[in-house]
């Protein structure tokens, strides 16, 4: 192994491709900020920060994978611990752009994310049984889903009259439910089948990040552009 990415390493190549997609998305969100009205600018800044943080982690994670053949678990969770709360801020921001919303919306989503990621990390790093980590992670995720489908965030959105915001909120709900379901699948394939399968785990997580970070930003961008015209 000479430290270079090998063409016969599809998992390594997927780290590379996603690094580039994250860089391009970052440039896109930051540049498009110019096009949207003032109240949407922070949302696009945050979308770009999410992909920027991920880009840097993907470069590093690729090196770890190529150099060691092992899952870059610690760096993946550091990335998630930074980017998932920023995505939760987005729910708050798109609502705050159009109506009055309490900070409790953000805090409940934040607490749900921390429980979800802590459970997953402790399970993946071997501090607790992988199945227990999975269960804790699922509970945190369920709490987030409750807030956006039934809780205050859902109610505030339903009561707002802004069509672009409602569209973005609906799309973000789909991402957090359907798109995010790829992660627990990756965990299940990776850890719950007996021996740890690092190849499947990393490919599935990489696809999940590609979808959930870039598409998440794009639906916010689409709502911002529509509402600004
Ligand atoms: C940008 C990164 C994102 C959007 C990461 C999201 C991560 C998850 C939704 C992880 C979820 C998990 C479960 C629901 C249970 C098993 C453990 C996790 C952490 C993989």
């Amino acid at each position: 192994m000479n430290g270079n990415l090998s063409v016969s390493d599809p998992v390594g190549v997927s780290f590379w491709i996603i690094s580039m997609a994250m860089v391009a998305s970052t440039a896109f969100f930051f540049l498009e900020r110019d096009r949207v009205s003032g109240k949407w600018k922070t949302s696009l800044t945050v979308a770009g920060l999410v992909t920027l943080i991920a880009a840097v982690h993907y470069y590093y994670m690729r090196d770890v994978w190529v150099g060691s053949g092992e899952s870059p678990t610690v760096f993946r969770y550091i990335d998630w611990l930074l980017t998932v709360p920023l995505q939760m801020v987005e729910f708050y921001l798109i609502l705050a752009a159009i109506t009055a919303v309490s900070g409790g919306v953000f805090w409940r989503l934040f607490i749900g994310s921390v429980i979800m990621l802590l459970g997953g990390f402790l399970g993946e790093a071997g501090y607790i049984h992988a199945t227990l980590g999975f269960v804790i992670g699922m509970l945190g995720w369920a709490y987030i889903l409750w807030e956006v489908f039934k809780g205050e965030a859902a109610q505030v959105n339903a009561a707002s009259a802004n069509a672009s915001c409602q569209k973005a909120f609906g799309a973000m709900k789909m991402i957090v439910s359907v798109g995010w379901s790829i992660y627990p699948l990756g965990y299940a394939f990776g850890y719950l089948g007996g021996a740890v399968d690092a190849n499947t785990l990393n490919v599935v997580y990489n696809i999940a990040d590609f979808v959930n970070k870039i598409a998440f930003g794009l639906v916010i961008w689409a709502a911002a552009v529509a509402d600004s015209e």
Side-chain angles (χ1 to χ4, degrees):
M1 209 171 272
N2 59 7
N4 290 336
L5 178 58
S6 153
V7 287
S8 56
D9 173 7
V11 182
V13 172
S14 78
F15 276 107
W16 177 266
I17 292 171
I18 291 166
S19 311
M20 294 308 117
M22 295 293 179
V23 169
S25 307
T26 304
F28 179 78
F29 294 134
F30 285 168
L31 290 169
E32 288 290 303
R33 199 176 173 279
D34 268 355
R35 251 178 90 188
V36 302
S37 62
K39 63 184 181 186
W40 288 102
K41 286 192 190 295
T42 312
S43 302
L44 286 194
T45 303
V46 174
L49 289 177
V50 166
T51 51
L52 175 65
I53 292 169
V56 177
H57 282 84
Y58 265 83
Y59 279 107
Y60 202 88
M61 291 197 291
R62 191 198 74 238
D63 278 351
V64 172
W65 176 262
V66 168
S68 72
E70 282 171 18
S71 297
T73 305
V74 169
F75 299 103
R76 200 176 283 283
Y77 275 86
I78 293 174
D79 173 320
W80 290 355
L81 205 56
L82 297 170
T83 52
V84 174
L86 282 172
Q87 294 194 316
M88 298 299 101
V89 173
E90 290 283 39
F91 273 103
Y92 173 80
L93 284 176
I94 69 155
L95 294 174
I98 50 127
T99 182
V101 54
S102 82
V105 166
F106 166 72
W107 283 110
R108 282 188 300 275
L109 292 171
F110 178 72
I111 290 165
S113 322
V114 171
I115 295 171
M116 179 179 84
L117 297 176
L118 198 66
F121 178 72
L122 294 177
E124 292 202 42
Y127 292 112
I128 59 176
H129 195 280
T131 309
L132 176 62
F134 186 76
V135 171
I136 297 172
M138 292 300 271
L139 290 174
W141 184 33
Y143 189 59
I144 295 172
L145 291 176
W146 169 264
E147 178 67 27
V148 299
F149 278 88
K150 292 272 177 236
E152 191 189 336
Q155 291 159 20
V156 169
N157 173 60
S160 88
N162 185 302
S164 304
C165 173
Q166 293 208 345
K167 227 172 123 193
F169 195 90
M172 286 158 69
K173 257 172 30 184
M174 289 304 288
I175 291 174
V176 170
S177 52
V178 181
W180 278 21
S181 67
I182 307 170
Y183 294 99
L185 284 176
Y187 188 105
F189 288 134
Y191 292 100
L192 303 184
V196 177
D197 179 354
N199 281 302
T200 311
L201 178 78
N202 283 285
V203 169
V204 175
Y205 279 169
N206 288 0
I207 293 170
D209 278 348
F210 179 82
V211 171
N212 291 297
K213 289 182 164 61
I214 298 175
F216 193 87
L218 282 176
V219 298
I220 293 164
W221 165 80
V225 169
D227 192 55
S228 303
E229 265 157 13

